[in-house]
Structure formats: C-alpha cells, structure tokens
Amino acid sequence: GAGVSQTPSNKVTEKGKYVELRCDPISGHTALYWYRQSLGQGPEFLIYFQGTGAADDSGLPNDRFFAVRPEGSVSTLKIQRTERGDSAVYLCASSLVPGGNYGYTFGSGTRLTVV
Amino acid sequence: KQEVTQIPAALSVPEGENLVLNCSFTDSAIYNLQWFRQDPGKGLTSLLLIQSSQREQTSGRLNASLDKSSGRSTLYIAASQPGDSATYLCAVPSQGGSEKLVFGKGTKLTVNP
C-alpha cells in the first residue's frame, strides 16, 4: 500500500482481556518498529524487527507484551491480561532499510483504551 | 541513558513570524538526529534527518541544525503559516546508531491567522 496501515484505529477492551494490534508496513520495507505514545508524551520504543526477527525487543515493558512478524511483512503486537496502564496510542513505523537514512513512515496508530 | 528535552513545550505565534524550536540530548555519541511533525490523531511525519557529520539540513521553509558537542539541535521555521500548526518532535538513537529512537515530548506549535 501507499502507507503504513494500522488496524483497528480504536480499540476499547476490558481489563484482563487479550488484544492484538496489526501493522501492515509499506511493501518492501525490511525494518518495522513499534512505539507506544501516552498523552502529552513522545513515542516510547517497544520493539524493532529486521525481516522476520526481533532485532531489539528491549522496550517491551513486561512479558504480557509480545510481537511477531512471521513473513517479514505484517506485524502483530499482542498484549495479554491488559491493564489500565496499557492505555495509549500504539504506533507502527517501517523503513526501507534500518538506519533511518531513508526515513521512517509511521502509521496513524491504534488508540487502545483499557476500561 | 539518553534523554531528550524540547523547549518550549508550547508556542503560539502570528502568521508570518520566523520561529525556533529547541531540542537537547544528553548522550552526544549519536549517528543522527531527526525532526518529526505530528498532527492531532495522526502518526508522525518525518521532516528532516541530520547525520552526525552534518551541521544542518534544509527542506523548504525548514532548517535544522545540529551541534553534537553541546548536545543541541534547533528547528527553524521561516514565514510560519497556519498549516504549520502541529506538534514537533525531535528524536535521537538511544546510543550510537541504535535503531531505538528516544523522543522528546514535543513542542506544540500554533500559528494564528
């Protein structure tokens, strides 16, 4: 597609439930990134994929968070046993190659609300 | 640990004014610095990327400078327009050329017609 697509755009879930957030990067982009943005804050790094593998998952806050990219394109961020503190906008970005020299294209994000 | 600070947090100016947004970072061993724009409810749009070997980059009415030794960058916007209203974020790698970007909280710019 022309840009990075994230679905759903909004998700409301009850505390304790499981959610999946999807990111469809630009075709051919090998690098994919997940960030989380709370109100009034800058994005906070979660995980970076190069191809199918998670090259850096140091930003995942705990073991309730997991992300996959099985075929090197679409990625899914999975959150188990959601908590109210997980409420945020989850942003996905992709890049042709790592390093930022070709720029990053961000999606519009998924706004997750845990009630 | 890399930390990024942006000043001011918010800025309101009349149309046509030239303005400067500031960004400072604590670890100067970076490969590059980027400026992004974020519109309400939207993702980020990449504006300018400055490599560590460069001192500035220009794109249209935007000019970004980088002083690695002092840990500072500025984004200069010339002849501001209402369409420039948005939040501007700067980001640097957490260390060296890391893919993990550390963002500031942003400067919310309002340009009044």
Side-chain angles (χ1 to χ4, degrees), chain A residues 46-104:
Chain A
L46 294 176
I47 187 169
Y48 149 59
F49 287 90
Q50 174 54 33
T52 61
D56 184 350
D57 65 357
S58 62
L60 295 178
N62 52 58
D63 61 6
R64 296 186 297 106
F65 288 74
F66 189 70
V68 295
R69 194 186 185 199
E71 298 179 357
S73 56
V74 172
S75 177
T76 304
L77 178 65
K78 308 180 181 192
I79 310 174
Q80 298 178 322
R81 304 183 304 279
T82 51
E83 300 177 354
R84 292 197 178 88
D86 299 334
S87 296
V89 176
Y90 289 80
L91 295 167
C92 176
S94 69
S95 181
L96 183 62
V97 293
N101 288 336
Y102 292 90
Y104 300 96

CSV table of all heavy atoms in Angstrom, one decimal, chain A residues 46-104:
chain,number,residue,atom,x,y,z
A,46,LEU,N,9.2,0.3,21.6
A,46,LEU,CA,8.9,-1.1,22.2
A,46,LEU,C,9.7,-2.1,21.5
A,46,LEU,O,10.4,-2.9,22.3
A,46,LEU,CB,7.4,-1.4,21.8
A,46,LEU,CG,6.4,-0.5,22.5
A,46,LEU,CD1,4.9,-0.9,22.0
A,46,LEU,CD2,6.4,-0.6,24.0
A,47,ILE,N,9.7,-2.3,20.2
A,47,ILE,CA,10.4,-3.4,19.6
A,47,ILE,C,10.7,-3.0,18.1
A,47,ILE,O,10.0,-2.2,17.5
A,47,ILE,CB,9.6,-4.6,19.6
A,47,ILE,CG1,10.3,-5.9,19.1
A,47,ILE,CG2,8.2,-4.5,18.9
A,47,ILE,CD1,9.6,-7.2,19.4
A,48,TYR,N,11.8,-3.6,17.6
A,48,TYR,CA,12.2,-3.4,16.2
A,48,TYR,C,12.5,-4.7,15.5
A,48,TYR,O,13.1,-5.6,16.1
A,48,TYR,CB,13.5,-2.5,16.2
A,48,TYR,CG,14.5,-2.7,15.1
A,48,TYR,CD1,14.1,-2.6,13.8
A,48,TYR,CD2,15.8,-3.1,15.4
A,48,TYR,CE1,15.1,-2.8,12.8
A,48,TYR,CE2,16.8,-3.3,14.4
A,48,TYR,CZ,16.4,-3.1,13.1
A,48,TYR,OH,17.3,-3.3,12.1
A,49,PHE,N,11.9,-4.9,14.3
A,49,PHE,CA,12.1,-6.1,13.5
A,49,PHE,C,13.0,-5.8,12.3
A,49,PHE,O,12.8,-4.8,11.6
A,49,PHE,CB,10.8,-6.6,13.0
A,49,PHE,CG,9.9,-7.3,14.1
A,49,PHE,CD1,9.0,-6.5,14.8
A,49,PHE,CD2,10.0,-8.6,14.3
A,49,PHE,CE1,8.2,-7.1,15.7
A,49,PHE,CE2,9.2,-9.3,15.2
A,49,PHE,CZ,8.3,-8.5,16.0
A,50,GLN,N,13.9,-6.7,12.0
A,50,GLN,CA,14.6,-6.6,10.8
A,50,GLN,C,14.2,-7.9,10.1
A,50,GLN,O,14.6,-9.0,10.5
A,50,GLN,CB,16.1,-6.5,11.0
A,50,GLN,CG,16.9,-6.7,9.7
A,50,GLN,CD,16.5,-5.7,8.6
A,50,GLN,OE1,16.1,-4.5,8.9
A,50,GLN,NE2,16.6,-6.1,7.4
A,51,GLY,N,13.4,-7.8,9.0
A,51,GLY,CA,12.9,-9.0,8.4
A,51,GLY,C,11.9,-9.7,9.4
A,51,GLY,O,11.0,-9.1,9.9
A,52,THR,N,12.1,-11.0,9.6
A,52,THR,CA,11.1,-11.7,10.4
A,52,THR,C,11.5,-11.7,11.9
A,52,THR,O,10.7,-12.1,12.8
A,52,THR,CB,11.0,-13.2,10.0
A,52,THR,OG1,12.3,-13.8,10.1
A,52,THR,CG2,10.6,-13.3,8.5
A,53,GLY,N,12.8,-11.4,12.2
A,53,GLY,CA,13.3,-11.5,13.5
A,53,GLY,C,13.2,-10.2,14.3
A,53,GLY,O,13.4,-9.1,13.8
A,54,ALA,N,13.0,-10.3,15.6
A,54,ALA,CA,13.0,-9.2,16.5
A,54,ALA,C,14.5,-8.9,16.9
A,54,ALA,O,15.1,-9.6,17.6
A,54,ALA,CB,12.2,-9.5,17.8
A,55,ALA,N,15.0,-7.8,16.3
A,55,ALA,CA,16.4,-7.4,16.5
A,55,ALA,C,16.6,-6.7,17.8
A,55,ALA,O,17.7,-6.7,18.3
A,55,ALA,CB,16.9,-6.5,15.3
A,56,ASP,N,15.6,-6.1,18.3
A,56,ASP,CA,15.7,-5.3,19.6
A,56,ASP,C,14.3,-5.3,20.2
A,56,ASP,O,13.5,-4.6,19.7
A,56,ASP,CB,16.3,-3.9,19.4
A,56,ASP,CG,16.5,-3.2,20.7
A,56,ASP,OD1,16.1,-3.6,21.7
A,56,ASP,OD2,17.1,-2.1,20.6
A,57,ASP,N,14.1,-6.0,21.3
A,57,ASP,CA,12.8,-6.0,22.0
A,57,ASP,C,13.0,-5.4,23.4
A,57,ASP,O,12.2,-5.7,24.3
A,57,ASP,CB,12.2,-7.4,22.0
A,57,ASP,CG,13.0,-8.4,22.9
A,57,ASP,OD1,14.1,-8.0,23.3
A,57,ASP,OD2,12.6,-9.5,23.0
A,58,SER,N,14.0,-4.6,23.6
A,58,SER,CA,14.3,-4.1,24.9
A,58,SER,C,13.3,-3.2,25.5
A,58,SER,O,13.3,-2.9,26.7
A,58,SER,CB,15.7,-3.4,24.9
A,58,SER,OG,15.7,-2.3,24.0
A,59,GLY,N,12.4,-2.6,24.6
A,59,GLY,CA,11.4,-1.7,25.1
A,59,GLY,C,10.1,-2.3,25.5
A,59,GLY,O,9.3,-1.6,26.1
A,60,LEU,N,9.9,-3.6,25.3
A,60,LEU,CA,8.7,-4.3,25.8
A,60,LEU,C,8.7,-4.2,27.3
A,60,LEU,O,9.6,-4.6,27.9
A,60,LEU,CB,8.7,-5.7,25.3
A,60,LEU,CG,8.6,-5.9,23.8
A,60,LEU,CD1,8.6,-7.4,23.4
A,60,LEU,CD2,7.3,-5.2,23.2
A,61,PRO,N,7.6,-3.7,27.9
A,61,PRO,CA,7.6,-3.4,29.3
A,61,PRO,C,7.6,-4.6,30.2
A,61,PRO,O,8.1,-4.6,31.3
A,61,PRO,CB,6.3,-2.5,29.5
A,61,PRO,CG,5.5,-2.8,28.3
A,61,PRO,CD,6.4,-3.1,27.2
A,62,ASN,N,7.0,-5.7,29.7
A,62,ASN,CA,7.0,-6.9,30.5
A,62,ASN,C,6.5,-8.1,29.7
A,62,ASN,O,6.3,-7.9,28.4
A,62,ASN,CB,6.0,-6.7,31.7
A,62,ASN,CG,4.6,-6.2,31.3
A,62,ASN,OD1,4.0,-6.9,30.5
A,62,ASN,ND2,4.2,-5.1,31.8
A,63,ASP,N,6.4,-9.3,30.2
A,63,ASP,CA,6.1,-10.4,29.4
A,63,ASP,C,4.7,-10.5,29.0
A,63,ASP,O,4.3,-11.5,28.3
A,63,ASP,CB,6.6,-11.7,30.1
A,63,ASP,CG,5.8,-11.9,31.5
A,63,ASP,OD1,4.9,-11.2,31.8
A,63,ASP,OD2,6.2,-12.9,32.2
A,64,ARG,N,3.9,-9.5,29.3
A,64,ARG,CA,2.5,-9.5,28.8
A,64,ARG,C,2.5,-9.1,27.3
A,64,ARG,O,1.5,-9.3,26.6
A,64,ARG,CB,1.6,-8.7,29.6
A,64,ARG,CG,1.4,-9.1,31.0
A,64,ARG,CD,0.3,-8.3,31.8
A,64,ARG,NE,0.8,-6.9,31.9
A,64,ARG,CZ,0.2,-5.9,31.2
A,64,ARG,NH1,-0.7,-6.1,30.3
A,64,ARG,NH2,0.7,-4.7,31.4
A,65,PHE,N,3.6,-8.4,26.9
A,65,PHE,CA,3.7,-7.9,25.6
A,65,PHE,C,4.5,-8.8,24.7
A,65,PHE,O,5.6,-9.2,25.1
A,65,PHE,CB,4.3,-6.5,25.6
A,65,PHE,CG,3.4,-5.4,26.2
A,65,PHE,CD1,3.2,-5.3,27.6
A,65,PHE,CD2,2.9,-4.5,25.4
A,65,PHE,CE1,2.4,-4.4,28.1
A,65,PHE,CE2,2.1,-3.5,25.9
A,65,PHE,CZ,1.8,-3.4,27.3
A,66,PHE,N,4.0,-9.0,23.5
A,66,PHE,CA,4.7,-9.9,22.5
A,66,PHE,C,4.4,-9.4,21.1
A,66,PHE,O,3.3,-9.0,20.9
A,66,PHE,CB,4.3,-11.3,22.7
A,66,PHE,CG,5.2,-12.3,22.0
A,66,PHE,CD1,6.5,-12.5,22.4
A,66,PHE,CD2,4.7,-13.0,20.9
A,66,PHE,CE1,7.3,-13.4,21.7
A,66,PHE,CE2,5.4,-13.9,20.2
A,66,PHE,CZ,6.7,-14.1,20.6
A,67,ALA,N,5.4,-9.5,20.2
A,67,ALA,CA,5.1,-9.1,18.9
A,67,ALA,C,5.7,-10.1,17.9
A,67,ALA,O,6.8,-10.7,18.2
A,67,ALA,CB,5.7,-7.7,18.6
A,68,VAL,N,5.1,-10.3,16.8
A,68,VAL,CA,5.6,-11.2,15.7
A,68,VAL,C,5.5,-10.5,14.4
A,68,VAL,O,4.8,-9.6,14.1
A,68,VAL,CB,4.7,-12.5,15.7
A,68,VAL,CG1,4.9,-13.3,17.1
A,68,VAL,CG2,3.3,-12.2,15.5
A,69,ARG,N,6.3,-11.1,13.5
A,69,ARG,CA,6.3,-10.7,12.1
A,69,ARG,C,6.7,-11.9,11.3
A,69,ARG,O,7.8,-12.0,10.7
A,69,ARG,CB,7.3,-9.5,11.9
A,69,ARG,CG,7.2,-8.8,10.6
A,69,ARG,CD,8.3,-7.8,10.4
A,69,ARG,NE,8.0,-7.0,9.2
A,69,ARG,CZ,9.0,-6.3,8.6
A,69,ARG,NH1,10.2,-6.3,9.0
A,69,ARG,NH2,8.7,-5.6,7.5
A,70,PRO,N,5.9,-12.9,11.2
A,70,PRO,CA,6.2,-14.2,10.7
A,70,PRO,C,6.7,-14.3,9.3
A,70,PRO,O,7.5,-15.1,8.9
A,70,PRO,CB,4.9,-15.0,10.9
A,70,PRO,CG,3.9,-14.0,11.0
A,70,PRO,CD,4.5,-12.8,11.6
A,71,GLU,N,6.2,-13.4,8.4
A,71,GLU,CA,6.6,-13.5,7.0
A,71,GLU,C,7.4,-12.3,6.6
A,71,GLU,O,7.6,-12.0,5.4
A,71,GLU,CB,5.4,-13.7,6.1
A,71,GLU,CG,4.7,-15.0,6.4
A,71,GLU,CD,3.4,-15.2,5.6
A,71,GLU,OE1,3.1,-14.3,4.8
A,71,GLU,OE2,2.8,-16.2,5.7
A,72,GLY,N,7.8,-11.5,7.5
A,72,GLY,CA,8.7,-10.3,7.2
A,72,GLY,C,7.9,-9.1,6.7
A,72,GLY,O,8.5,-8.2,6.1
A,73,SER,N,6.6,-9.2,6.8
A,73,SER,CA,5.8,-8.0,6.3
A,73,SER,C,4.9,-7.6,7.5
A,73,SER,O,5.3,-6.8,8.3
A,73,SER,CB,5.0,-8.3,5.0
A,73,SER,OG,4.2,-9.4,5.2
A,74,VAL,N,3.6,-8.1,7.5
A,74,VAL,CA,2.7,-7.7,8.5
A,74,VAL,C,3.2,-8.1,9.9
A,74,VAL,O,3.8,-9.2,10.1
A,74,VAL,CB,1.3,-8.4,8.3
A,74,VAL,CG1,0.4,-8.2,9.5
A,74,VAL,CG2,0.7,-7.9,7.0
A,75,SER,N,3.0,-7.2,10.9
A,75,SER,CA,3.4,-7.5,12.3
A,75,SER,C,2.1,-7.4,13.2
A,75,SER,O,1.2,-6.6,12.9
A,75,SER,CB,4.4,-6.5,12.7
A,75,SER,OG,4.8,-6.7,14.1
A,76,THR,N,2.1,-8.2,14.2
A,76,THR,CA,1.1,-8.1,15.2
A,76,THR,C,1.7,-7.9,16.6
A,76,THR,O,2.6,-8.6,17.0
A,76,THR,CB,0.2,-9.4,15.2
A,76,THR,OG1,-0.3,-9.7,13.9
A,76,THR,CG2,-0.9,-9.3,16.2
A,77,LEU,N,1.2,-6.9,17.3
A,77,LEU,CA,1.5,-6.7,18.7
A,77,LEU,C,0.5,-7.3,19.6
A,77,LEU,O,-0.7,-7.0,19.4
A,77,LEU,CB,1.7,-5.2,19.0
A,77,LEU,CG,2.0,-4.8,20.4
A,77,LEU,CD1,3.4,-5.3,20.8
A,77,LEU,CD2,2.0,-3.3,20.6
A,78,LYS,N,0.8,-8.2,20.5
A,78,LYS,CA,-0.1,-8.9,21.3
A,78,LYS,C,0.1,-8.5,22.7
A,78,LYS,O,1.2,-8.5,23.2
A,78,LYS,CB,0.1,-10.4,21.1
A,78,LYS,CG,0.1,-10.8,19.7
A,78,LYS,CD,0.3,-12.3,19.5
A,78,LYS,CE,0.4,-12.7,18.0
A,78,LYS,NZ,0.3,-14.2,17.9
A,79,ILE,N,-1.0,-8.2,23.4
A,79,ILE,CA,-1.0,-7.8,24.8
A,79,ILE,C,-1.9,-8.7,25.6
A,79,ILE,O,-3.1,-8.8,25.3
A,79,ILE,CB,-1.4,-6.3,25.0
A,79,ILE,CG1,-0.6,-5.4,24.1
A,79,ILE,CG2,-1.1,-5.9,26.5
A,79,ILE,CD1,-1.1,-3.9,24.1
A,80,GLN,N,-1.4,-9.4,26.5
A,80,GLN,CA,-2.2,-10.3,27.4
A,80,GLN,C,-2.6,-9.6,28.7
A,80,GLN,O,-1.9,-8.7,29.1
A,80,GLN,CB,-1.4,-11.6,27.7
A,80,GLN,CG,-1.0,-12.4,26.5
A,80,GLN,CD,-0.1,-13.6,26.9
A,80,GLN,OE1,0.7,-13.5,27.8
A,80,GLN,NE2,-0.3,-14.7,26.2
A,81,ARG,N,-3.7,-10.1,29.2
A,81,ARG,CA,-4.1,-9.6,30.6
A,81,ARG,C,-3.9,-8.1,30.7
A,81,ARG,O,-3.2,-7.6,31.5
A,81,ARG,CB,-3.3,-10.3,31.6
A,81,ARG,CG,-3.4,-11.8,31.6
A,81,ARG,CD,-2.6,-12.5,32.7
A,81,ARG,NE,-1.2,-12.0,32.8
A,81,ARG,CZ,-0.2,-12.5,32.1
A,81,ARG,NH1,-0.5,-13.5,31.2
A,81,ARG,NH2,1.0,-12.1,32.2
A,82,THR,N,-4.6,-7.4,29.8
A,82,THR,CA,-4.5,-5.9,29.7
A,82,THR,C,-4.8,-5.3,31.0
A,82,THR,O,-5.6,-5.7,31.8
A,82,THR,CB,-5.4,-5.3,28.6
A,82,THR,OG1,-6.7,-5.8,28.8
A,82,THR,CG2,-4.9,-5.7,27.2
A,83,GLU,N,-4.0,-4.2,31.2
A,83,GLU,CA,-4.2,-3.3,32.4
A,83,GLU,C,-4.5,-1.9,32.0
A,83,GLU,O,-4.2,-1.5,30.9
A,83,GLU,CB,-2.9,-3.4,33.2
A,83,GLU,CG,-2.5,-4.7,33.7
A,83,GLU,CD,-1.2,-4.7,34.5
A,83,GLU,OE1,-0.5,-3.7,34.5
A,83,GLU,OE2,-0.8,-5.8,35.0
A,84,ARG,N,-5.1,-1.1,32.9
A,84,ARG,CA,-5.5,0.2,32.6
A,84,ARG,C,-4.3,1.0,32.1
A,84,ARG,O,-4.4,1.9,31.3
A,84,ARG,CB,-6.2,0.9,33.7
A,84,ARG,CG,-7.6,0.2,34.0
A,84,ARG,CD,-8.5,1.0,34.8
A,84,ARG,NE,-9.8,0.4,34.9
A,84,ARG,CZ,-10.1,-0.5,35.9
A,84,ARG,NH1,-9.2,-0.8,36.8
A,84,ARG,NH2,-11.3,-1.1,35.9
A,85,GLY,N,-3.1,0.7,32.7
A,85,GLY,CA,-1.9,1.5,32.3
A,85,GLY,C,-1.4,1.2,30.9
A,85,GLY,O,-0.5,1.9,30.5
A,86,ASP,N,-2.0,0.2,30.3
A,86,ASP,CA,-1.6,-0.1,28.9
A,86,ASP,C,-2.3,0.8,27.9
A,86,ASP,O,-2.0,0.9,26.7
A,86,ASP,CB,-2.0,-1.5,28.5
A,86,ASP,CG,-1.3,-2.6,29.3
A,86,ASP,OD1,-0.2,-2.3,29.9
A,86,ASP,OD2,-1.9,-3.7,29.5
A,87,SER,N,-3.3,1.6,28.4
A,87,SER,CA,-4.0,2.6,27.5
A,87,SER,C,-3.0,3.6,27.0
A,87,SER,O,-2.3,4.2,27.7
A,87,SER,CB,-5.1,3.3,28.3
A,87,SER,OG,-6.1,2.4,28.8
A,88,ALA,N,-3.0,3.7,25.6
A,88,ALA,CA,-2.1,4.6,24.9
A,88,ALA,C,-2.4,4.4,23.4
A,88,ALA,O,-3.2,3.6,23.0
A,88,ALA,CB,-0.6,4.2,25.2
A,89,VAL,N,-1.7,5.2,22.7
A,89,VAL,CA,-1.7,5.1,21.2
A,89,VAL,C,-0.5,4.2,20.8
A,89,VAL,O,0.7,4.6,21.2
A,89,VAL,CB,-1.7,6.4,20.5
A,89,VAL,CG1,-1.6,6.2,19.0
A,89,VAL,CG2,-2.9,7.2,20.8
A,90,TYR,N,-0.7,3.2,20.1
A,90,TYR,CA,0.4,2.3,19.7
A,90,TYR,C,0.7,2.6,18.2
A,90,TYR,O,-0.2,2.5,17.3
A,90,TYR,CB,0.0,0.8,19.9
A,90,TYR,CG,0.0,0.5,21.3
A,90,TYR,CD1,-1.1,0.8,22.1
A,90,TYR,CD2,1.1,-0.1,21.9
A,90,TYR,CE1,-1.1,0.5,23.5
A,90,TYR,CE2,1.1,-0.4,23.3
A,90,TYR,CZ,0.0,-0.1,24.1
A,90,TYR,OH,0.0,-0.4,25.4
A,91,LEU,N,1.9,3.0,18.0
A,91,LEU,CA,2.3,3.5,16.6
A,91,LEU,C,3.3,2.4,16.0
A,91,LEU,O,4.1,1.9,16.7
A,91,LEU,CB,3.1,4.8,16.7
A,91,LEU,CG,2.3,6.0,17.2
A,91,LEU,CD1,3.2,7.1,17.5
A,91,LEU,CD2,1.3,6.4,16.1
A,92,CYS,N,3.1,2.2,14.7
A,92,CYS,CA,4.0,1.4,14.0
A,92,CYS,C,4.7,2.2,12.9
A,92,CYS,O,4.1,3.1,12.3
A,92,CYS,CB,3.1,0.2,13.3
A,92,CYS,SG,4.1,-0.9,12.3
A,93,ALA,N,5.9,1.9,12.6
A,93,ALA,CA,6.6,2.6,11.6
A,93,ALA,C,7.4,1.5,10.8
A,93,ALA,O,7.8,0.5,11.3
A,93,ALA,CB,7.6,3.6,12.1
A,94,SER,N,7.7,1.9,9.5
A,94,SER,CA,8.5,1.0,8.7
A,94,SER,C,9.6,1.8,8.0
A,94,SER,O,9.4,3.0,7.8
A,94,SER,CB,7.7,0.1,7.7
A,94,SER,OG,7.2,0.9,6.7
A,95,SER,N,10.6,1.2,7.6
A,95,SER,CA,11.7,1.8,6.8
A,95,SER,C,12.3,0.9,5.8
A,95,SER,O,12.3,-0.4,6.0
A,95,SER,CB,12.8,2.3,7.8
A,95,SER,OG,13.8,2.9,7.1
A,96,LEU,N,12.7,1.4,4.7
A,96,LEU,CA,13.2,0.5,3.6
A,96,LEU,C,14.3,-0.4,4.1
A,96,LEU,O,14.3,-1.6,3.9
A,96,LEU,CB,13.7,1.4,2.4
A,96,LEU,CG,14.3,0.7,1.2
A,96,LEU,CD1,13.1,-0.2,0.6
A,96,LEU,CD2,14.8,1.7,0.2
A,97,VAL,N,15.3,0.3,4.8
A,97,VAL,CA,16.3,-0.5,5.5
A,97,VAL,C,16.5,0.2,6.8
A,97,VAL,O,16.1,1.3,7.1
A,97,VAL,CB,17.7,-0.5,4.7
A,97,VAL,CG1,17.5,-1.2,3.4
A,97,VAL,CG2,18.1,1.0,4.4
A,98,PRO,N,17.2,-0.5,7.8
A,98,PRO,CA,17.5,0.1,9.1
A,98,PRO,C,18.4,1.3,8.9
A,98,PRO,O,19.0,1.5,7.9
A,98,PRO,CB,18.2,-1.0,9.9
A,98,PRO,CG,17.8,-2.2,9.2
A,98,PRO,CD,17.7,-1.9,7.7
A,99,GLY,N,18.5,2.1,9.9
A,99,GLY,CA,19.4,3.2,10.0
A,99,GLY,C,18.8,4.6,9.8
A,99,GLY,O,19.4,5.6,10.1
A,100,GLY,N,17.6,4.7,9.3
A,100,GLY,CA,16.9,6.0,9.2
A,100,GLY,C,17.3,6.8,8.1
A,100,GLY,O,16.7,7.9,7.8
A,101,ASN,N,18.3,6.4,7.3
A,101,ASN,CA,18.7,7.2,6.2
A,101,ASN,C,17.6,7.4,5.1
A,101,ASN,O,17.7,8.4,4.3
A,101,ASN,CB,20.0,6.7,5.5
A,101,ASN,CG,21.2,6.8,6.4
A,101,ASN,OD1,21.2,7.7,7.3
A,101,ASN,ND2,22.2,6.0,6.2
A,102,TYR,N,16.7,6.4,5.0
A,102,TYR,CA,15.6,6.5,4.1
A,102,TYR,C,14.4,7.0,4.7
A,102,TYR,O,13.3,7.0,4.1
A,102,TYR,CB,15.4,5.2,3.4
A,102,TYR,CG,16.6,4.8,2.5
A,102,TYR,CD1,17.7,4.1,3.0
A,102,TYR,CD2,16.6,5.1,1.1
A,102,TYR,CE1,18.7,3.7,2.2
A,102,TYR,CE2,17.7,4.8,0.3
A,102,TYR,CZ,18.7,4.1,0.8
A,102,TYR,OH,19.7,3.7,0.0
A,103,GLY,N,14.5,7.4,6.0
A,103,GLY,CA,13.3,7.9,6.7
A,103,GLY,C,12.4,6.8,7.2
A,103,GLY,O,12.6,5.7,6.9
A,104,TYR,N,11.6,7.2,8.1
A,104,TYR,CA,10.6,6.3,8.7
A,104,TYR,C,9.2,6.8,8.3
A,104,TYR,O,8.9,8.0,8.3
A,104,TYR,CB,10.7,6.3,10.2
A,104,TYR,CG,12.0,5.9,10.8
A,104,TYR,CD1,12.9,6.9,11.2
A,104,TYR,CD2,12.3,4.6,11.0
A,104,TYR,CE1,14.2,6.5,11.7
A,104,TYR,CE2,13.5,4.2,11.5
A,104,TYR,CZ,14.5,5.2,11.9
A,104,TYR,OH,15.7,4.8,12.4
